Amino acid sequence: MLRLLLRSTVTLVLSALGGSLVIFLLLRALGGDIATSILGVSADPASVAALGAELGLDRPWAVQYLDWLAGFAQGDLGRSYGLRYDIAEVIGNRIGVTLSLAFFAMVIAAALALFFGSYSAINAHRRRGGLVSAATQLGLAVPTFWVGLMMISVFSIQLGWLPSGEYVPWTESLWGAVRSLLMPVLALSIPLTAIFTRYVRSAMLDVLEEDFMRTARAKGRTLHGAIGVHGIRNASISLVTVGVMQLGVLIAGTVVIERVFSLPGLGDLVVSAIGSREVLVVQSTVFVILLIILCLNFLMDISYGLLDPRIRDAEREASHV
Amino acid sequence: MTLSIRDLAIQIGTDRVVHVDALDVPAGGRLGLVGESGSGKTLTAMSIAGLLAPEIRVNGSVQLDGRELVGRADRSMARIRGAEIGVVFQDPLRALNPMMRIGRQIAEAVRLGNRPISGAEIRSRVVELVDQVGLSGVEGVTRRYPHQLSGGQRQRTLIAVAIASRPKLLIADEPTTALDVTVQEGILDLLLELSTTRRMALLFVSHDLGVVRRVSERVAVMYGGRLVETGTARSVLERSHHRYTEALIAASPWLTGPTERAELIGRPLDAIPGSVPEFGQFPEGCGFRDRCTHAIDRCAERPPATTTSDDHTFTCWNPAHMREADLHDIRT
């Protein structure tokens, strides 16, 4: 377990460093002069140069990169070029929205997928099993933003049940937060549920063939009892795997859904920052998103070891060599 | 009778793959069910415990202490098999949940098989079972996972699971096939001891005649989903009448004692020609006739069950070890 922990940590740090470099270079490679875009094309070259110097844009890239990284390590992300706001503070204010969206979408999708996936596997030879498969096909095909728009049109505009475009933080009102996050979370969880359900289904089909399921029944469990006690846990390993793979997709989905529902999250921040050429804001926010994904990856790596004793032992044995 | 089977028919899709006319195991009795893979012996054994996949249809009658088991709903069948039927499976590594500690897996069987039962009783019963199957010497065995045990230890664990409810009937499906020969003996001794001391009926399923001979009082031989010969272990294995049983014995390197051992060394084994057909593709009449070296024209008709004076039943038109006069009786 210690070895697994150590290896996962090293992976985390190296990926973060590599990722930061890629983000930094990509944004520089896009070109365009930041000072010009802030002051406008008609500004005189002298003031453009002066602003560039003030923002530190005249320094070599390597210095800019290391300066950014060092600041990041201390929690100081600098100020935005245009509006001069504290980037760290803004990200801090917005990160909760994105994390809430991603977390609840993930949890809801996992729970639904365990149910539907198992149901579909148990009824694999019947029509209702096929129905679930057809539904997952649909869930994969429907774009998240469209689902979001449909929800707004039905539940906010026509029925007036749920708010859209106003975000209530958790700290203010629990009920308000639930109401404002319900639709975006559901919209996000639809494609995730569809993907997860497929994985759970195939994992559960394998588990159903396992001898230990028959042993469980021989002990006196019904088929459903055996699935509930022995099947779900063994099939959930596959859910962890696919969960890791879908993290990037999920975060990308939150960017879109935050725009659709006008939620003040990180995705919304990135999109508006790109519009106003706030390179430093984009750079830091994308890096924060990357860190979130890497940290979750790290947690899921560790949870393999917690879920499967065989992996735990393999790690222990390897560390004795 | 602890176990009594009549006209048991197992159907997969449109194929009737098993048809057992009659099979009985008395309380404390030990029956060996023998056959090649594909003979239907495991299907038969699993159908008794209601452990076949739901899409496999079972008809006829299986009675456990006079209670009908066929046609029960899953919940009712689960309760009966949990409390009264124990099953030991072939591959103990796969039959145990890889992600659950041994202690919990045994405790689960104790709890389900002895309802109602308190937590303290479960714990003491697990300790008792671990001791009974000879695992108490393994340090911290209940805290281990299946992959941390040896093959023999895993099979002992599975036996503990199977006897956790003090069942009336223990079904052992090839319990030693996946084990090293050196470990087999210990497992067979344990099964024999448990069956004798607790008057637990034992249905022992195996393709290994040597093992079956050692464990069983009576032997039933299956081929093509049907019983072809039943009788005491001694008469079936030493004076087999059915040509399939005879061929099976000729193909087995089984030995009974030092003197026979000397005789049999160097004896070539006679493989049975051909291979077991797929289910549903056995010939009409006697299912063995296309592989039988003694087949006669009559074998195209289904042979009737013949019972000799020593309670030995077989279905063969041209049996071995028979006097001419008896042969005449069979054919008319």
Side-chain angles (χ1 to χ4, degrees):
Chain A
M1 201 64 208
L2 200 69
R3 195 184 127 94
L4 181 68
L5 213 69
L6 205 71
R7 206 181 48 197
S8 304
T9 312
V10 171
T11 312
L12 173 72
V13 171
L14 287 180
S15 315
L17 283 176
S20 68
L21 193 61
V22 170
I23 293 168
F24 181 87
L25 291 177
L26 269 179
L27 286 172
R28 295 303 174 282
L30 284 177
D33 187 60
I34 293 153
T36 314
S37 71
I38 292 170
L39 296 176
V41 248
S42 53
D44 70 298
S47 48
V48 169
L51 183 64
E54 193 196 328
L55 299 176
L57 297 169
D58 54 345
R59 298 171 299 164
W61 283 6
V63 175
Q64 288 188 45
Y65 171 69
L66 290 175
D67 184 49
W68 171 59
L69 216 56
F72 205 101
Q74 294 159 25
D76 174 19
L77 304 185
R79 292 191 162 272
S80 79
Y81 299 146
L83 299 171
R84 310 300 296 161
Y85 55 77
D86 185 337
I87 300 174
E89 197 188 307
V90 170
I91 288 180
N93 287 339
R94 286 167 166 257
I95 196 168
V97 179
T98 302
L99 285 181
S100 305
L101 279 174
F103 176 77
F104 288 108
M106 199 69 136
V107 168
I108 287 176
L112 288 177
L114 278 175
F115 177 78
F116 286 122
S118 305
Y119 181 83
S120 150
I122 296 164
N123 296 299
H125 302 295
R126 305 207 186 101
R127 187 171 297 154
R128 40 197 157 152
L131 221 60
V132 173
S133 296
T136 61
Q137 198 72 264
L138 199 67
L140 284 174
V142 174
T144 312
F145 73 87
W146 182 81
V147 174
L149 290 174
M150 285 300 115
M151 283 177 159
I152 291 174
S153 125
V154 174
F155 295 106
S156 300
I157 298 170
Q158 290 181 20
L159 297 171
W161 290 352
L162 291 165
S164 79
E166 54 185 273
Y167 173 71
V168 184
W170 294 101
T171 43
E172 223 166 84
S173 153
L174 190 67
W175 177 235
V178 169
R179 276 168 56 87
S180 60
L181 286 177
L182 187 62
M183 285 196 294
V185 162
L186 285 180
L188 266 180
S189 63
I190 285 174
L192 273 186
T193 307
I195 297 168
F196 288 179
T197 300
R198 296 177 146 228
Y199 277 85
V200 170
R201 179 190 135 92
S202 82
M204 188 57 90
L205 280 174
D206 288 343
V207 170
L208 286 175
E209 295 293 311
E210 292 278 3
D211 285 4
F212 63 76
M213 294 296 282
R214 198 173 51 175
T215 309
R217 292 176 63 211
K219 287 175 184 179
R221 293 232 182 257
T222 57
L223 183 61
H224 291 107
I227 289 165
V229 178
H230 296 267
I232 297 279
R233 182 171 171 169
N234 287 269
S236 62
I237 292 219
S238 76
L239 199 55
V240 175
T241 315
V242 63
V244 175
M245 294 193 296
Q246 293 303 324
L247 276 177
V249 178
L250 175 61
I251 299 291
T254 60
V255 172
V256 175
I257 218 72
E258 279 168 18
R259 293 299 282 188
V260 172
F261 286 89
S262 320
L263 294 173
L266 292 183
D268 181 63
L269 178 63
V270 170
V271 176
S272 46
I274 290 171
S276 51
R277 292 197 164 255
E278 290 280 14
V279 175
L280 195 55
V281 178
V282 176
Q283 184 175 308
S284 294
T285 314
V286 171
F287 187 50
V288 166
I289 292 174
L290 176 78
L291 281 182
I292 294 172
I293 294 178
L294 288 177
C295 286
L296 288 173
N297 241 319
F298 171 80
L299 287 178
M300 292 208 181
D301 264 356
I302 302 291
S303 69
Y304 272 134
L306 293 177
L307 275 171
D308 194 333
R310 287 168 296 184
I311 291 177
R312 219 150 55 212
D313 276 10
E315 291 291 336
R316 189 175 304 145
E317 261 155 46
S319 65
H320 289 316
V321 174
Chain B
M1 283 300 156
T2 295
L3 177 69
S4 186
I5 299 178
R6 292 293 175 271
D7 283 318
L8 174 71
I10 302 176
Q11 209 172 330
I12 301 178
T14 52
D15 294 329
R16 192 163 71 172
V17 293
V18 168
H19 192 139
V20 172
D21 294 321
L23 192 68
D24 293 299
V25 187
R30 302 192 302 272
L31 176 80
L33 189 57
V34 183
E36 290 168 277
S37 23
S39 63
K41 56 190 192 306
T42 296
L43 276 174
T44 304
M46 291 304 136
S47 74
I48 295 166
L51 289 177
L52 294 178
E55 61 268 21
I56 299 179
R57 269 185 295 157
V58 178
N59 288 302
S61 165
V62 174
Q63 297 199 337
L64 183 72
D65 271 344
R67 255 172 323 148
E68 184 57 53
L69 301 185
V70 173
R72 275 181 191 270
D74 191 25
R75 181 165 297 278
S76 142
M77 191 58 217
R79 195 165 299 144
I80 290 180
R81 69 173 166 250
E84 294 168 41
I85 303 175
V87 189
V88 180
F89 298 98
Q90 176 168 351
D91 184 343
L93 179 59
R94 298 196 56 208
L96 292 166
N97 186 338
M99 309 212 309
M100 209 184 252
R101 291 180 203 278
I102 295 300
R104 267 189 69 196
Q105 302 199 43
I106 300 176
E108 184 187 20
V110 172
R111 192 163 45 78
L112 292 168
N114 301 278
R115 284 183 280 199
I117 187 168
S118 74
E121 281 174 292
I122 293 175
R123 278 187 291 280
S124 72
R125 183 91 178 96
V126 169
V127 174
E128 195 185 313
L129 282 164
V130 164
D131 187 48
Q132 267 165 6
V133 297
L135 282 177
S136 48
V138 185
E139 199 197 320
V141 65
T142 54
R143 302 273 308 153
R144 296 200 187 191
Y145 289 95
H147 71 274
Q148 297 167 327
L149 297 178
S150 72
Q153 289 168 343
R154 283 181 211 131
Q155 194 55 291
R156 285 172 190 275
T157 304
L158 211 52
I159 293 174
V161 165
I163 63 168
S165 61
R166 300 192 178 90
K168 296 176 180 135
L169 171 67
L170 184 64
I171 299 172
D173 181 20
E174 304 263 12
T176 58
T177 307
L179 302 178
D180 289 341
V181 182
T182 46
V183 184
Q184 284 189 9
E185 286 297 308
I187 297 295
L188 292 177
D189 284 338
L190 178 62
L191 287 173
L192 270 176
E193 182 207 315
L194 289 168
S195 160
T196 328
T197 56
R198 300 156 156 248
R199 266 186 79 69
M200 189 165 60
L202 180 65
L203 178 66
F204 190 92
V205 181
S206 179
H207 69 279
D208 185 335
L209 290 178
V211 169
V212 166
R213 184 192 173 85
R214 194 155 121 48
V215 172
S216 329
E217 294 162 345
R218 290 181 65 81
V219 168
V221 183
M222 273 191 99
Y223 186 82
R226 284 179 180 268
L227 288 179
V228 294
E229 186 158 18
T230 47
T232 63
R234 199 181 168 81
S235 70
V236 170
L237 297 179
E238 288 176 14
R239 270 177 55 82
S240 51
H241 295 313
H242 200 287
R243 294 294 178 179
Y244 174 63
T245 315
E246 198 192 22
L248 203 57
I249 292 169
S252 305
W254 63 295
L255 306 162
T256 47
T259 50
E260 283 174 61
R261 189 179 301 256
E263 283 168 31
L264 287 170
I265 282 174
R267 183 199 72 163
L269 296 177
D270 300 322
I272 303 176
S275 56
V276 182
E278 296 280 306
F279 273 127
Q281 286 168 17
F282 289 90
E284 292 289 303
C286 172
F288 185 57
R289 72 185 158 100
D290 56 346
R291 300 175 69 194
C292 183
T293 50
H294 299 269
I296 55 176
D297 291 347
R298 196 72 188 269
C299 298
E301 288 171 45
R302 184 163 292 287
T306 309
T307 304
T308 61
S309 53
D310 53 350
D311 193 22
H312 186 151
T313 304
F314 60 93
T315 54
C316 184
W317 287 114
N318 190 17
H321 303 117
M322 292 290 280
R323 287 181 323 212
E324 272 307 313
D326 295 332
L327 271 181
H328 182 74
D329 286 349
I330 294 169
R331 292 179 192 163
T332 51

